[in-house]
Amino acid sequence: MSKKHPIISVIGSSGAGTSTVKHTFDQIFRREGVKAVSIEGDAFHRFNRKDMKTELDRRYAAGDFTFSHFSYEANELKQLENVFRQYGETGTGRTRHYVHDNDEAELYGVPPGEFTEWAPFEDGSDLLFYEGLHGAVVNDEVNLPQHADLKIGVVPVINLEWIQKIHRDKEKRGYTTEAVTDVILRRMHAYVHCIIPQFTQTDINFQRVPVVDTSNPLVARWIPTPDESLVVIRFKNPRGIDFSYLVSMIQGSWMSRANSIVIPGGKLDLAMQLILTPMIERLVLESKRA
């Protein structure tokens, strides 16, 4: 960790709600006058879309049915750690963009499924903001959490994650339920071994829990709405967290454990503003002092 050049790492997929988290962080940065540089986990995929399909086919032929974007070896984690390390030491670094669709292709001038060129960060930033699937990986080759000053996990319960995945891929990519189910099964090994362990490294976890029946996610007709959900917020170290203040400010919230608070799903943005704003202020203040 670097007090002079702090790093915030948000771990979770876009389907888990990290896009909402990114919007909330952007609001805080704008309101508090914080200049942040952002990097996306997709930028550190090892393969473009075409090469990923070739690698999947090669592994299938060799009998490996567990390889996916979740897998360590599908991502340039050493490069990501180098960016974290370099930014923490010097406030500099580089990133690129993975182009997902035609809208992004028009924006970046690169075909869908390809990467833009690497480009340096803007000078004079106050902190680095990472959003992706691998921002808290610890394995034999990398230790990303040691470089981050604030680590946030965003993860729905597993059946809700599957419902979101199925609906997204059917509507946006034209997949059948069976095809999406095959993808879920292929990703399960890496999800268990590469993704889940990171949520023990995080400082705060936001876990969305539906309060409607999701017992068979393969036939669910709708994604549960925020009003049909609760969010469990767990603090790794609750010391200094004013739970009584949070409960008084967030209507319908309560403490479920000494380090956890439960809120209505529709209050997530408010809760994040209340919890994260003072933490970000503290990081920036300490960096300026350093």
Side-chain angles (χ1 to χ4, degrees), residues 49 100 165 168-175 187:
R49 188 172 294 167
H100 296 87
K165 170 69 175 172
R168 185 174 66 251
D169 284 4
K170 288 174 68 175
E171 290 180 6
K172 294 187 176 181
R173 301 176 182 175
Y175 291 4
R187 290 179 170 184

Side-chain angles (χ1 to χ4, degrees), residues 201-220:
Q201 302 289 335
T202 45
D203 300 302
I204 310 172
N205 284 334
F206 294 86
Q207 184 173 43
R208 185 175 162 202
V209 182
V211 291
V212 295
D213 184 14
T214 61
S215 52
N216 186 349
L218 305 181
V219 299

Side-chain angles (χ1 to χ4, degrees), residues 172-232:
K172 294 187 176 181
R173 301 176 182 175
Y175 291 4
T176 64
T177 299
E178 291 74 19
V180 185
T181 303
D182 287 342
V183 173
I184 290 171
L185 291 173
R186 171 166 51 83
R187 290 179 170 184
M188 188 53 58
H189 181 273
Y191 184 78
V192 170
H193 294 280
C194 304
I195 305 301
I196 289 178
Q198 295 180 74
F199 297 113
T200 62
Q201 302 289 335
T202 45
D203 300 302
I204 310 172
N205 284 334
F206 294 86
Q207 184 173 43
R208 185 175 162 202
V209 182
V211 291
V212 295
D213 184 14
T214 61
S215 52
N216 186 349
L218 305 181
V219 299
R221 298 173 63 185
W222 299 283
I223 299 173
T225 66
D227 287 339
E228 296 172 329
S229 308
L230 299 172
V231 177
V232 179

